[in-house]
Amino acid sequence: MQNKFIYYYDSHVAKTTRKILSGIGKHCRRKTGKQVFVFLSYRICKTELFHVSLSQFLMCNPTMNKRITLKDKTFEPYISETRIVEAIKKIADEMIRDLDGRDPLFVGILNGAYMFVAELMSKLPPAYELTFAAYSSYYGLKSEGIVKELLPVRIANRERPVILLEDIIDTGVTMQYVMERLREEGAGDIRLAAMLVKPGSLKCNIRPDYVGMEIDDDFIVGFGLDYNGCGRSLRNIYKIVK
């Protein structure tokens, strides 16, 4: 079934949806040469209706199927937006279970985590408080190993759980520094959530409490991650072509 997209949707909206999907399917066939199948199905049992979002249908768009160039580097497709969102949903479910009855403070680490933070917070109770902090140890493809405080975390209530939200744990140096600083300031309950973790790159004893995915030691861009400021807005994740 590779390169074939089968979509199930409620017959009550079939007439309108069929027109929309037909137009998109023609566009996909023109752009990619892939065959797109639209399959109508209605289950008598209402609890078993299947729905696929329009964003998933649009994964046939060629953007995810070809290499991209950012400045002097070329990148190839690695992780789709669909997989990323599923991983973030898993983190959100774990947090809702663990933090029930608590008053956590979420801290998004800029700049890279902004898309991760937005997706995650949309799946959490709206009463949860969110703030941001900024640190830097990267330029180009490698970490400089020196953490620079650009916008440090300020904790007013030391009794609250503090949940650090990071896009990717690479060497772990930045988050180790941040967590040590928070402990020095008296924070008692510090937790770390990472969209992505590179176990093979860790250079310190740090283990996130919440992990979206573990990945290989490749330089990646997209979904907030950048190469010298470029590529952050990509909805899918790409890895460098070596």
Side-chain angles (χ1 to χ4, degrees):
M1 297 299 295
Q2 187 176 4
N3 295 336
K4 296 180 181 180
F5 300 82
I6 300 179
Y7 298 89
Y8 299 84
Y9 55 93
D10 195 335
S11 63
H12 292 302
V13 295
K15 184 176 180 180
T16 301
T17 309
R18 183 163 55 245
K19 294 180 180 179
I20 297 172
L21 296 185
S22 176
I24 296 174
K26 291 177 182 177
H27 172 77
C28 291
R29 285 193 291 272
R30 286 199 305 269
K31 294 293 184 180
T32 68
K34 293 179 180 178
Q35 196 170 11
V36 180
F37 290 84
V38 179
F39 182 76
L40 308 182
S41 176
Y42 180 77
R43 292 291 185 91
I44 296 177
C45 178
K46 294 182 180 179
T47 59
E48 293 184 1
L49 291 176
F50 290 85
H51 300 270
V52 174
S53 69
L54 187 59
S55 63
Q56 287 175 293
F57 184 88
L58 289 173
M59 285 303 292
C60 65
N61 189 287
T63 302
M64 185 56 188
N65 299 321
K66 67 180 182 180
R67 293 181 173 185
I68 62 171
T69 299
L70 300 174
K71 295 188 175 180
D72 59 334
K73 303 297 181 184
T74 300
F75 298 83
E76 62 186 3
Y78 186 34
I79 306 173
S80 70
E81 179 185 2
T82 301
R83 288 183 57 201
I84 298 168
V85 171
E86 288 173 352
I88 295 174
K89 176 63 166 57
K90 180 191 70 173
I91 292 177
D93 291 343
E94 293 174 2
M95 287 181 170
I96 291 172
R97 180 195 64 217
D98 295 346
L99 299 170
D100 184 37
R102 306 293 299 276
D103 181 27
L105 173 63
F106 289 85
V107 181
I109 306 300
L110 299 172
N111 292 327
Y114 80 97
M115 290 181 72
F116 168 46
V117 171
E119 186 66 37
L120 176 68
M121 296 305 294
S122 71
K123 296 174 172 31
L124 295 175
Y128 285 165
E129 184 179 350
L130 170 67
T131 188
F132 290 92
Y135 303 84
S136 177
S137 63
Y138 262 91
Y139 186 78
L141 302 180
K142 297 293 182 180
S143 172
E144 297 174 346
I146 301 173
V147 179
K148 301 175 183 178
E149 286 191 345
L150 306 178
L151 180 65
V153 182
R154 301 301 182 196
I155 307 299
N157 186 345
R158 297 177 179 178
E159 301 301 319
R160 299 177 69 184
V162 178
I163 318 297
L164 301 173
L165 306 178
E166 179 68 300
D167 55 347
I168 185 167
I169 303 295
D170 195 332
T171 63
V173 171
T174 301
M175 284 299 97
Q176 183 182 55
Y177 172 86
V178 174
M179 295 176 79
E180 288 177 353
R181 285 297 300 270
L182 289 174
R183 291 189 186 99
E184 291 173 0
E185 295 178 8
D189 186 356
I190 307 169
R191 308 184 194 187
L192 175 59
M195 179 175 69
L196 302 170
V197 175
K198 295 181 179 179
S201 300
L202 286 172
K203 294 184 178 179
C204 53
N205 186 23
I206 185 172
R207 294 292 181 269
D209 300 276
Y210 306 97
V211 176
M213 280 185 261
E214 292 187 348
I215 63 172
D216 295 331
D217 187 17
D218 293 302
F219 187 83
I220 58 177
V221 297
F223 216 84
L225 295 116
D226 75 303
Y227 169 54
N228 289 350
C230 298
R232 290 193 192 278
S233 61
L234 293 165
R235 298 297 302 179
N236 306 295
I237 290 178
Y238 296 76
K239 66 179 180 179
I240 195 167
V241 176
K242 299 179 179 178

